[in-house]
Every structure is written in C-alpha cells, then in structure tokens.
Amino acid sequence: MSLLNILRYPDARLHKIAKPVTVFDTRLKKLIADMAETMYEAPGVGLAASQVDVHEQLMVIDTSDAGNDLRVFINPQILWASEEKQIYDEGCLSVPGVYDGVERPARVKVRALDADGNPFEVDADGLLAVCIQHEMDHLMGKVFVEYLSPLKRNRIKAKMLKEEREQKRDKQYATR
Ligand code: GNR
Ligand code: NI
C-alpha cells in the first residue's frame, strides 16, 4: 500500500470531470486500498479519486467513530434526494483548515457499484449523506467552497496560495 498525494485547492485538476470505471481489475483494487490508506492517515471521513488526480468515478467513505466501516462507491448515482435540507459545517482534505456551513438535501438514496462491480443501494442521512454528496461533487469537479459566497471563496483562495508559497519557501530553505 502507499500514501497518495492529495491535490490542494485551487489546483485546476480538482475541476476535471471523472469518467465511469469500466474495468474491475487488480489496478482498481490497489487504487482503492491506497485511497483508503490515504483517507485514514489524513485523517478524513471520505476521499474522492479526483483528489488524488485520478479522474474516475470512485470514492471511499468511512464515517464510523471506530474507523472500521469502509465503504467504496464506484459510478455512484443519486436516485432520490429529500426536499428537507440540512446545513453541515463541511471541511475538505483539499482545503485544509477551512470549515463552513453548506446546505444540502438531508437524506439521499444512492446506487453504486462495489469493488467487484456488484451494484448496491444505500439510504443515507446525517454525516454519511453529507459525505456522499461532498465526494460526488468532487467527481463532478466541484469543491465545497464553490457553495460559499465569492467573498469567502476569494479569501480562502488567497489563504491557500499564501500557504503554498510559504511551504515552497520552507522546502527550499531546508535544502540549502
Ligand atoms: O474528512 C472530511 N470531513 C468532512 C466533514 C464534513 C463534511 C464533509 C467532509 S469530507 C472530508 C474529506 C474530504 O475532503 N473528502 O472529499
Ligand atoms: Ni473533499
């Protein structure tokens, strides 16, 4: 297994649209294992393939307290979303340190394929419903900050670019 590099906002590759998975082979199994390891190490409750620069419809989620309930969603589709909404304070491994409220349907019914290509459906609410929608957005090239006001988004963008510059400078300094 290996840890994967997580792209950081505002990286243009986060806006690429993922293509459906068509081949269920050992390469896919390794990618799933590496994504799960990367998510647990971060730590995060979900990770979309787009975040590790793989533009295929694949995401891993574990919203359990113990971190022992890994769910793999391939080619996910929302079958139904509730009229009722919930506002959740979201974060993202691609936008570290930033949390803000996002309103989404409170409950969703989702159909997807598992790692072996077998279809399954889940009825989700609470954090799982939030996470499924957050990860599916990534697959469509959307990052949660795009739901915030342009003012907030621009501040976040500036903060992320500043941190990126500082990290590059620190790295150069370390090798001199
Ligand atoms: O780890 C994560 N936590 C989280 C918290 C609230 C709403 C969504 C999330 S998903 C995030 C991991 C991530 O960035 N997935 O794309
Ligand atoms: Ni995210």
Side-chain angles (χ1 to χ4, degrees):
M1 300 225 287
S2 28
L3 288 176
L4 305 172
N5 180 51
I6 299 176
L7 298 178
R8 286 187 176 217
Y9 185 81
D11 189 311
R13 292 170 289 181
L14 285 170
H15 304 302
K16 289 173 82 168
I17 294 175
K19 297 200 166 75
V21 170
T22 55
V23 183
F24 293 78
D25 56 1
T26 54
R27 174 225 159 234
L28 182 71
K29 298 281 187 340
K30 167 142 176 42
L31 176 58
I32 292 167
D34 289 348
M35 281 177 56
E37 188 187 11
T38 304
M39 173 185 75
Y40 287 121
E41 198 271 340
V45 295
L47 188 70
S50 317
Q51 292 177 277
V52 295
D53 202 20
V54 175
H55 304 284
E56 298 173 34
Q57 294 174 17
L58 161 64
M59 57 205 218
V60 293
I61 292 180
D62 188 342
T63 54
S64 69
D65 289 333
N68 57 2
D69 186 22
L70 181 69
R71 296 167 192 257
V72 178
F73 294 81
I74 295 169
N75 303 346
Q77 286 183 301
I78 302 262
L79 299 179
W80 173 84
S82 65
E83 289 295 326
E84 186 198 336
K85 313 287 186 204
Q86 68 177 335
I87 297 177
Y88 202 97
D89 218 19
E90 298 196 16
C92 182
L93 295 174
S94 295
V95 199
V98 173
Y99 301 86
D100 212 330
V102 176
E103 184 181 88
R104 302 181 186 271
R107 284 167 288 129
V108 289
K109 190 182 189 73
V110 182
R111 185 178 173 84
L113 303 177
D114 67 17
D116 299 313
N118 301 123
F120 66 95
E121 289 179 13
V122 275
D123 283 301
D125 62 8
L127 177 58
L128 181 59
V130 172
C131 203
I132 286 171
Q133 295 173 80
H134 175 114
E135 304 313 338
M136 286 185 70
D137 273 349
H138 276 302
L139 300 182
M140 292 182 289
K142 186 159 183 171
V143 179
F144 87 98
V145 298
E146 293 172 59
Y147 290 103
L148 308 179
S149 70
L151 176 67
K152 279 188 179 176
R153 192 164 55 251
N154 286 332
R155 281 186 184 151
I156 291 164
K157 201 178 277 185
K159 177 175 179 257
M160 298 299 297
L161 290 170
K162 179 163 177 270
E163 285 173 6
E164 201 177 296
R165 278 199 307 277
E166 286 169 355
Q167 273 178 1
K168 276 188 191 148
R169 182 173 35 65
D170 289 351
K171 255 189 214 160
Q172 275 197 330
Y173 190 73
T175 56
R176 259 188 274 162

